[in-house]
Amino acid sequence: MNKLQDWPEPVIRVQSLSESGLKSIPERYIKPATDRPSLNMEEDPTNMDVNIPIIDLTGLSEDGNNLPQSTMDQISLACREWGFFQVVNHGVCPGFMDQVRETWRSFFHLPMEMKHAYANSPKTYEGYGSRLGIEKGAILDWSDYYYLHYLPLTLKDYNKWPASPDSCREVIDEYGKELVKLGGRIMKVLSINLGLKEDRLQNAFGGDNFGACLRVNFYPKCPQPELALGLSSHSDPGGLTLLLTDNQVPGLQVRKDDKWITVKPAPHAFIVNIGDQIQVLSNADYKSVEHRVIVNSDMERLSLGFFYNPKSDIPMQPMEELVSTDKPALYSPMTFDEYRLFIRLKGPKGKSQIESLHSPR
């Protein structure tokens, strides 16, 4: 693991670049022509009204699953066709969602020297960061972020969480508890929809010994948004992602039928997406889907990605109930720790990693 000790070159904060008033972005942030969002700025008119499914979770509570079958079917279809959906009436208080978002916005607006006290390294990625991957000379994304662990408790370290603004740590902690509960409820629904017992998917994650972490993304204004990306195309390496997006500024794009669809977030919704580990466990019945983030020149943007992950040292492989002679296991076993190392070394690279896991046929 020594190769992950430090960044290969001095870290530049994208927020500092943005606030310096530069008119053109440094070459390090200019994407190859094929990856630039400018190719898609004049969106296909047929895509203008397309959005990922919005699903009402009324009836899904800590006391049990009383979702109507029609809602279960909506979720099943979204997992198979999109890999993404939005949930409303999910049990997390809307006012609290706003408070969490604004607490983090206040953190990113603190003086740079206060944020630098939490600067991260590629060894664990915990703290305040500005790049993914350690390839020297790599083209970078137009974003800063903060990464922290909730679970397992052995990795949870309040000292690595921001102490400012006031009550920040309490808000972050409460948010983690709420999203662990919501994630667990959604895991049961996915399990039932795969034709399994409701706790099967959770047990494959390690039962009560699963992982949970948070990545807060800050996308400063970009003077040349047509040349850059806030986050390069990737699928999420973990299990399940619950995303709280900016309440003002869109930016998330999902790949669907080889087109990029800009997600239109519903008010106080969470965006849920399937990660690579659920693709593996489900033997590709559910697929993780490529997504990316575009930036703009007028407004900054903030989002919170909560990752509900398997225990890091259990080999992940297709669940035996979903393997048959007609559909043999598509993936070789690999722990999440081993899997996650790829993105930490190389940065986001589409779906190249999970596709490299296919069992030899």
Side-chain angles (χ1 to χ4, degrees):
M1 292 286 281
N2 288 344
K3 54 191 166 184
L4 279 177
Q5 292 300 321
D6 220 337
W7 302 113
E9 50 222 339
V11 173
I12 296 168
R13 304 299 175 192
V14 175
Q15 189 175 4
S16 296
L17 288 175
S18 175
E19 290 173 358
S20 72
L22 46 77
K23 296 286 185 280
S24 56
I25 62 175
E27 201 171 329
R28 289 296 303 276
Y29 297 90
I30 298 176
K31 297 293 177 188
T34 49
D35 295 343
R36 290 177 200 165
S38 55
L39 302 177
N40 312 288
M41 287 309 243
E42 293 178 13
E43 284 196 72
D44 180 341
T46 59
N47 285 352
M48 294 305 277
D49 297 323
V50 177
N51 199 7
I52 60 174
I54 300 173
I55 298 173
D56 187 335
L57 292 188
T58 302
L60 184 66
S61 69
E62 287 180 72
D63 304 326
N65 176 7
N66 293 306
L67 290 176
Q69 187 57 46
S70 58
T71 304
M72 296 290 287
D73 292 345
Q74 278 182 297
I75 294 170
S76 179
L77 193 65
C79 289
R80 292 171 195 277
E81 294 205 344
W82 281 91
F84 269 82
F85 54 98
Q86 303 189 56
V87 294
V88 294
N89 296 320
H90 39 62
V92 181
C93 171
F96 181 58
M97 294 168 74
D98 292 339
Q99 182 188 3
V100 174
R101 191 194 297 109
E102 293 319 306
T103 296
W104 276 107
R105 198 183 298 278
S106 298
F107 168 79
F108 282 101
H109 286 168
L110 289 172
M112 192 57 76
E113 59 272 16
M114 289 181 74
K115 292 181 293 216
H116 265 299
Y118 303 99
N120 73 347
S121 84
K123 192 175 179 196
T124 67
Y125 274 85
E126 287 172 281
Y128 177 53
S130 296
R131 65 179 292 166
L132 264 175
I134 57 165
E135 287 184 359
K136 192 163 184 167
I139 297 173
L140 301 175
D141 289 336
W142 193 263
S143 56
D144 300 320
Y145 63 86
Y146 204 103
Y147 179 77
L148 58 86
H149 286 288
Y150 287 113
L151 293 172
L153 290 174
T154 50
L155 291 181
K156 185 179 184 180
D157 184 352
Y158 289 118
N159 294 320
K160 293 181 178 174
W161 296 13
S164 298
D166 290 345
S167 73
C168 182
R169 287 177 177 166
E170 291 81 357
V171 169
I172 296 168
D173 206 20
E174 184 60 30
Y175 187 71
K177 289 173 183 166
E178 287 289 323
L179 267 71
V180 161
K181 290 190 287 193
L182 177 58
R185 297 197 289 270
I186 293 172
M187 287 280 284
K188 288 179 178 176
V189 171
L190 301 187
S191 203
I192 292 166
N193 275 340
L194 285 166
L196 308 169
K197 291 181 178 170
E198 70 170 22
D199 60 357
R200 179 67 176 97
L201 198 53
Q202 184 69 49
N203 288 339
F205 269 42
D208 291 336
N209 296 313
F210 62 99
C213 50
L214 179 72
R215 181 182 149 117
V216 185
N217 306 294
F218 184 75
Y219 304 101
K221 297 176 191 176
C222 178
Q224 294 178 295
E226 70 283 358
L227 299 179
L229 286 171
L231 194 51
S232 295
S233 173
H234 65 289
S235 59
D236 288 347
L240 191 68
T241 303
L242 303 170
L243 184 75
L244 174 59
T245 66
D246 199 290
N247 56 340
Q248 303 290 331
V249 189
L252 175 66
Q253 292 189 324
V254 173
R255 192 194 278 276
K256 170 80 165 148
D257 302 326
D258 273 340
K259 291 176 182 167
W260 288 105
I261 308 290
T262 301
V263 174
K264 302 163 193 71
H268 295 113
F270 285 106
I271 295 172
V272 180
N273 65 281
I274 301 295
D276 293 346
Q277 304 307 309
I278 288 182
Q279 177 168 330
V280 168
L281 288 167
S282 73
N283 209 21
D285 279 0
Y286 293 168
K287 291 189 177 68
S288 61
V289 169
E290 274 183 82
H291 50 287
R292 67 182 189 183
V293 175
I294 56 173
V295 288
N296 72 79
S297 55
D298 300 324
M299 298 178 81
E300 65 181 41
R301 186 172 173 273
L302 183 94
S303 70
L304 290 77
F306 179 88
F307 303 105
Y308 193 105
N309 293 330
K311 187 170 185 285
S312 63
D313 58 359
I314 303 174
M316 292 286 110
Q317 57 193 332
M319 294 183 284
E320 56 192 24
E321 302 94 320
L322 302 178
V323 174
S324 63
T325 47
D326 291 339
K327 192 176 181 188
L330 295 173
Y331 307 102
S332 308
M334 181 183 271
T335 69
F336 181 47
D337 256 348
E338 293 168 318
Y339 193 89
R340 181 164 51 186
L341 195 57
F342 177 96
I343 196 166
R344 291 186 168 185
L345 289 169
K346 300 195 179 296
K349 297 252 190 276
K351 285 202 69 169
S352 61
Q353 182 180 12
I354 185 142
E355 283 161 6
S356 72
L357 269 196
H358 271 279
S359 295
R361 299 298 299 276

